[in-house]
Amino acid sequence: MSAKKILNKKSMDFLEKYLNNPSPTGYEWEGQKLWMDYIKPYVDTFITDTYGTAVGVINPDAKYKVVIEGHSDEISWYVNYITDNGLIYVIRNGGSDHQIAPSKWVDIHTKNGIVKGVFGWPAIHTRDSSKEESPKLDNIFIDIGAKDKAEVEKIGVHVGCVITYPDTFQILNKDKFVCRAIDNRVGGFMIAEVARLLKENKKTLPFGLYITNSVQEEIGLKGAEMITQRIKPNVAIITDVCHDTTTPMIEKKKQGHTEIGAGPVISYAPAVQNKLRERIIETAEASKIPFQRMAASRYTGTDTDAFAYSNGGVASALISLPLRYMHTTVETVHKDDVENVIRLIYETLLNIKEGETFSYFE
């Protein structure tokens, strides 16, 4: 496939709608329905499971199975405690950042629909500058404009309600995509675009392709753990986000050097099968797709780990999209990188043969 632009108006309309739709961990199904509706023309059938993972399948009868995967959930909060005067304290659902909370609007999801609220914070005039208190989990709170606990409950808010941020998709300086939850609904978007391109370019694969949009990654790779047992793949190519380390207050000696606009990031880690990774690198070089390298330690911290160590071992690799400001409401990626991750997954699939074991001993 040439280096021509991949994303079209339909793609962008779907990306915006998909990112804007809330899909907190454990509550992903409405986003999954949007995703399934988008890829329906490009797949033969679907698999779904009890907790909401969705898989579009091409060639479902093939014995040799290849997974391309992203995760669909976003970090969020739970209502944890309601005070007598109607203020709400929270706990995390995933790695939500307490430091960005003050003065943010929130959407509290109830049976009666969305209830709006704000993370309150004491005015600068009232704080003692000699001992400023930083936002912490035990001092951030939500105000929904209720006078007491009874009014909060009458509105429909109760302990266990999930809370998301309402921030929506925007484009910064023509080619940077900005939104909450780019981590990692952009992964689901990119694998959907791979399915679209295979269909539009009339490519016939010699294996079954399982386009997998997993749930519950943000709380420990749980959706991937479940669905890999169902699919039992031979190969898994995972896509997630990684850090752009060129912005302030990030130590490159610890985090390495990766940046937006410089291409997909290919990981080195024990869970990454070396022969499969080298196939991806060879594909990138042959197709003139720019790429970066990243070293992980014991774990990649992504669904790669869940697939790799399942079913007696699955040849797995990770292609990451560099992102700025992870787990904030202004996560930022470069359009060129999005297109190049799609291109790299697509071209790699065309370079995998049915029955390959990627064994080190053959």
Side-chain angles (χ1 to χ4, degrees):
M1 185 172 58
S2 70
K4 67 182 171 76
K5 294 300 180 187
I6 288 171
L7 305 184
N8 57 32
K9 185 180 185 303
K10 185 181 176 185
S11 303
M12 292 303 300
D13 288 347
F14 168 62
L15 177 61
E16 181 169 357
K17 185 178 181 182
Y18 187 46
L19 286 174
N20 289 348
N21 177 78
S23 288
T25 301
Y27 297 80
E28 299 93 343
W29 58 86
E30 292 301 331
Q32 296 289 57
K33 290 175 186 176
L34 292 175
W35 183 82
M36 292 169 72
D37 185 59
Y38 180 74
I39 71 162
K40 188 174 183 179
Y42 315 128
V43 300
D44 298 323
T45 190
F46 285 101
I47 297 170
T48 55
D49 73 6
T50 305
Y51 279 86
T53 290
V55 186
V57 188
I58 298 171
N59 302 337
D61 296 328
K63 289 184 178 179
Y64 191 79
K65 301 174 183 179
V66 176
V67 160
I68 57 175
E69 193 258 13
H71 73 81
S72 59
D73 57 319
E74 68 181 285
I75 56 171
S76 55
W77 304 98
Y78 281 120
V79 173
N80 186 49
Y81 172 65
I82 303 167
T83 69
D84 289 340
N85 63 340
L87 298 175
I88 295 166
Y89 285 84
V90 298
I91 57 170
R92 292 185 177 94
N93 184 21
S96 300
D97 189 342
H98 50 277
Q99 293 213 31
I100 71 159
S103 83
K104 293 294 296 180
W105 282 92
V106 296
D107 287 343
I108 305 176
H109 299 256
T110 78
K111 285 186 178 179
N112 305 324
I114 296 295
V115 172
K116 289 287 183 181
V118 294
F119 271 112
W121 195 245
I124 190 170
H125 323 66
T126 67
R127 306 198 304 263
D128 184 345
S129 60
S130 67
K131 49 180 181 180
E132 282 274 22
E133 201 169 348
S134 299
K136 299 189 293 287
L137 195 59
D138 62 5
N139 68 12
I140 59 173
F141 62 90
I142 292 170
D143 187 338
I144 64 168
K147 68 180 184 295
D148 55 26
K149 182 176 182 180
E151 188 176 1
V152 171
E153 292 176 342
K154 185 179 179 184
I155 290 169
V157 175
H158 55 75
V159 169
C161 284
V162 72
I163 304 158
T164 57
Y165 292 116
D167 302 66
T168 54
F169 176 80
Q170 297 190 60
I171 296 177
L172 186 66
N173 194 21
K174 299 179 182 176
D175 56 8
K176 314 303 185 304
F177 300 159
V178 180
C179 198
R180 58 165 235 291
I182 286 177
D183 174 14
N184 179 36
R185 280 210 283 288
V186 74
F189 169 74
M190 292 188 297
I191 59 176
E193 290 296 274
V194 172
R196 174 177 69 83
L197 293 172
L198 289 167
K199 185 76 168 183
E200 290 179 356
N201 296 332
K202 297 180 171 59
K203 297 295 182 181
T204 301
L205 298 173
F207 46 76
L209 182 65
Y210 291 71
I211 301 127
T212 303
N213 209 9
S214 297
V215 298
Q216 300 195 24
E217 187 272 350
E218 295 290 357
I219 49 92
L221 323 182
K222 301 305 182 185
E225 286 182 3
M226 291 183 274
I227 200 64
T228 187
Q229 307 296 342
R230 176 85 168 269
I231 298 171
K232 294 184 166 46
N234 300 91
V235 176
I237 297 172
I238 313 307
T239 185
D240 206 326
V241 295
C242 65
H243 302 289
D244 176 323
T245 62
T246 65
T247 56
M249 298 186 288
I250 297 177
E251 177 54 68
K252 290 182 185 176
K253 289 177 185 175
K254 290 183 178 178
Q255 301 291 338
H257 181 116
T258 45
E259 59 184 293
I260 64 170
V265 179
I266 298 172
S267 278
Y268 290 69
V272 173
Q273 213 275 351
N274 293 293
K275 281 194 165 186
L276 179 58
R277 184 196 58 243
E278 290 309 303
R279 181 73 55 84
I280 293 168
I281 290 173
E282 289 160 8
T283 300
E285 290 172 341
S287 302
K288 296 184 168 53
I289 300 170
F291 68 93
Q292 307 172 77
R293 290 180 168 94
M294 178 174 69
S297 182
R298 295 178 65 188
Y299 306 105
T300 70
T302 72
D303 283 337
T304 312
D305 302 330
F307 277 93
Y309 301 129
S310 70
N311 302 298
V314 174
S316 301
L318 174 61
I319 301 173
S320 298
L321 177 72
L323 172 145
R324 289 182 171 179
Y325 321 124
M326 195 180 295
H327 286 206
T328 73
T329 56
V330 291
E331 294 182 334
T332 303
V333 296
H334 199 299
K335 179 182 179 182
D336 291 351
D337 293 335
V338 173
E339 292 197 318
N340 279 320
V341 169
I342 295 165
R343 188 175 287 120
L344 183 53
I345 296 172
Y346 174 91
E347 296 291 351
T348 300
L349 290 176
L350 300 182
N351 286 333
I352 294 175
K353 299 176 180 63
E354 182 189 10
E356 285 194 83
T357 65
F358 294 93
S359 170
Y360 299 130
F361 306 103
E362 291 179 357

